[in-house]
Amino acid sequence: MEDIRCIFCNQYSNQIIIEENGYTGKRCSLCGLIFVTHRPSYPELSKIYVQSHRYAETHIGFKKSKQVHAKHTLIKIKNYKNKGSLLELGAGAGYFLLEAKKQGFSVYGIEPNKIEAIYINEKLKINCESSLLNENSFEGRTFDIIYHCDVLSHFYDPINEFSMINKKLNDDGILVFETGNTADVKNRYYRYFSEFGYPDHLFLFGENSLRKLLEQTDFEIVKTYKYSKLLFLIIHKLLWKFKDTLKDKPNSTDSIDSKVAKETSLEARTNKSKLNLFIRNCYPYLAFLAQI
Ligand SMILES: [Zn+2]
């Protein structure tokens, strides 16, 4: 475990804002950035992305809702570039790229999760690499557009990552990314969050720290779109609580035989998992509606 300082102000923090899964998120008193400290080592975190199946299951199951979101985002991107090469970082199951390809872009993906990278290459027939972005990615080529969504908080070294993104863009290339400005949320509203995804989400940014990141990595801000998420967060939390009530709760007075019968009742389990999947699918639809 590594005790880290603010990546912009080089200061340690004592201001604990979030406590989850045995990890703490501290806020930098100067720029407002919230960061996990102490944090797992890079090899420990890499295991989560490379080996974990949970992201793959989540992403691959959400095709329709991801494509709805992709269409919405591509309308925005086309205001600035309506053709050319487009690379997505953290491509998930590749549905954004699939939609971008349909709309005429030449698409590439980077996805550290090998299950998803294989899915993108073999099922979607889109060129996807599973190593992190580096100068040699895709045989050293550069791109007109680099896009990522809800990936920023996962970067182990955001300044390095954004510098590399800049190097991989053509001279008139653009970076488009979507992220929460969670660090700008007042402390009293954090209780409305269902989870913060610790320790995966290493950094939570606000407008001030985002501006610092972009300035330090030689980007010029062209346009910012903002969406309110408070109502969405409340509905999401209610749905999550409802989903938890669907989990099997063995009654202590049940005999062992009846407990086994409950657990092995295929019909009951199938119905519950269908409902569970439906509720999980509501999440990205709600996320999309919150952006309209
Ligand atoms: Zn700071």
Side-chain angles (χ1 to χ4, degrees), residues 52-272:
S52 170
H53 288 230
R54 69 191 169 111
Y55 289 113
E57 288 168 356
T58 306
H59 295 156
I60 289 171
F62 290 156
K63 184 172 183 179
K64 283 183 186 166
S65 51
K66 289 286 180 189
Q67 283 185 308
V68 169
H69 180 222
K71 283 177 184 166
H72 176 74
T73 304
L74 285 163
I75 290 170
K76 300 277 191 297
I77 290 176
K78 282 178 159 180
N79 287 334
Y80 302 94
K81 284 203 182 289
N82 58 13
K83 60 181 179 184
S85 54
L86 187 157
L87 167 67
E88 183 182 14
L89 306 182
Y95 300 136
F96 172 82
L97 292 173
L98 190 63
E99 183 59 35
K101 188 179 172 183
K102 272 188 201 165
Q103 297 194 21
F105 291 95
S106 169
V107 296
Y108 302 80
I110 284 200
E111 176 47 59
N113 185 303
K114 287 205 163 45
I115 296 167
E116 291 176 303
I118 291 169
Y119 182 83
I120 292 170
N121 275 304
E122 295 184 358
K123 298 279 184 189
L124 306 185
K125 309 293 182 199
I126 289 170
N127 189 356
C128 180
E129 294 185 357
S130 60
S131 55
L132 295 179
L133 183 68
N134 62 75
E135 286 192 74
N136 298 321
S137 300
F138 302 98
E139 299 175 335
R141 68 157 300 155
T142 52
F143 301 88
D144 295 311
I145 304 156
I146 296 182
Y147 167 74
H148 56 80
C149 177
D150 292 336
V151 166
L152 172 57
S153 59
H154 294 270
F155 285 147
Y156 198 75
D157 184 343
I159 294 174
N160 239 341
E161 294 286 349
F162 268 56
S163 297
M164 181 54 64
I165 290 169
N166 207 336
K167 280 185 192 166
K168 295 294 283 182
L169 281 170
N170 294 331
D171 287 345
D172 62 345
I174 59 169
L175 163 66
V176 179
F177 67 98
E178 300 182 47
T179 189
N181 61 331
T182 313
D184 291 334
V185 175
K186 289 190 168 60
N187 290 0
R188 65 177 180 271
Y189 292 119
Y190 284 124
R191 63 196 166 97
Y192 293 112
F193 286 69
S194 305
E195 59 175 354
F196 291 91
Y198 274 13
D200 314 15
H201 294 154
L202 297 167
F203 297 98
L204 300 175
F205 286 78
E207 282 193 55
N208 186 36
S209 43
L210 279 172
R211 198 167 287 112
K212 279 180 179 288
L213 176 64
L214 292 165
E215 281 170 4
Q216 284 197 21
T217 50
D218 289 331
F219 281 99
E220 176 193 350
I221 300 172
V222 177
K223 177 79 180 172
T224 306
Y225 296 92
K226 295 181 189 178
Y227 308 98
S228 169
K229 293 253 180 174
L230 183 59
L231 179 62
F232 156 71
L233 287 170
I234 293 168
I235 296 170
H236 178 217
K237 189 163 186 173
L238 290 172
L239 278 174
W240 230 238
K241 276 188 178 171
F242 178 60
K243 182 173 76 68
D244 288 343
T245 65
L246 299 175
K247 288 178 181 170
D248 285 326
K249 288 179 186 165
N251 187 330
S252 58
T253 59
D254 286 350
S255 68
I256 290 176
D257 281 350
S258 67
K259 280 181 185 171
V260 170
K262 274 185 183 176
E263 285 172 10
T264 54
S265 165
L266 189 60
E267 192 183 358
R269 290 177 69 82
T270 304
N271 287 339
K272 278 184 180 175

